């Protein structure tokens, strides 16, 4: 060790204490977005434009079934992004 260098000190930190506000807040479950969720929305929009006979819900279920994606996980992700009607453009502004 050089004479001009100081010895490095090691500081041990205490573990973080939980407060009443930390325990009262329950963390929201976040759903990891699948890269295909955007594709689902795009395919649903294209189907809505092409077909006029089905409801958006039926078309969405069909697209999810064809892509073999779980509907409940997609809907949980969609709930984080906003309601289905808002995402598909049929909601109130």
């Amino acid at each position: 060790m050089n004479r001009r260098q100081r010895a490095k000190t090691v500081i041990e930190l205490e573990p973080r204490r939980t407060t009443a506000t930390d325990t009262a807040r329950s963390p929201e479950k976040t759903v990891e977005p699948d890269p295909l969720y955007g594709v689902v929305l795009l395919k649903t929009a294209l189907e809505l434009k092409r077909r006029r006979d089905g409801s958006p819900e039926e078309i969405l279920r069909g697209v999810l079934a064809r892509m073999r994606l779980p509907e409940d996980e997609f809907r949980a992700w969609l709930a984080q992004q906003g309601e289905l009607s808002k995402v598909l453009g049929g909601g109130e502004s």
Side-chain angles (χ1 to χ4, degrees):
M1 180 186 255
N2 193 352
R3 288 185 182 183
R4 293 183 184 186
Q5 291 179 339
R6 281 199 228 166
K8 295 183 180 181
T9 54
V10 177
I11 300 173
E12 292 183 23
L13 301 176
E14 293 180 13
R16 184 174 179 222
R17 297 180 185 153
T18 59
T19 60
T21 57
D22 288 342
T23 56
R25 266 187 274 156
S26 61
E28 293 182 16
K29 183 181 175 186
T30 57
V31 178
E32 284 294 318
D34 190 332
L36 294 176
Y37 288 167
V39 178
V40 169
L41 292 175
L42 179 63
K43 285 187 174 201
T44 303
L46 290 173
E47 287 283 325
L48 282 170
K49 187 175 181 180
R50 188 174 13 166
R51 292 184 8 197
R52 301 282 183 194
D53 59 342
S55 71
E57 293 288 326
E58 293 172 358
I59 292 174
L60 179 63
R61 281 191 194 108
V63 170
L64 287 169
R66 283 193 304 271
M67 292 182 71
R68 296 185 181 127
L69 292 172
E71 186 176 344
D72 55 340
E73 289 180 16
F74 177 77
R75 291 202 182 270
W77 173 79
L78 198 58
Q80 290 177 351
Q81 305 303 314
E83 295 299 319
L84 178 63
S85 59
K86 290 180 186 175
V87 173
L88 294 178
E92 299 172 6
S93 301

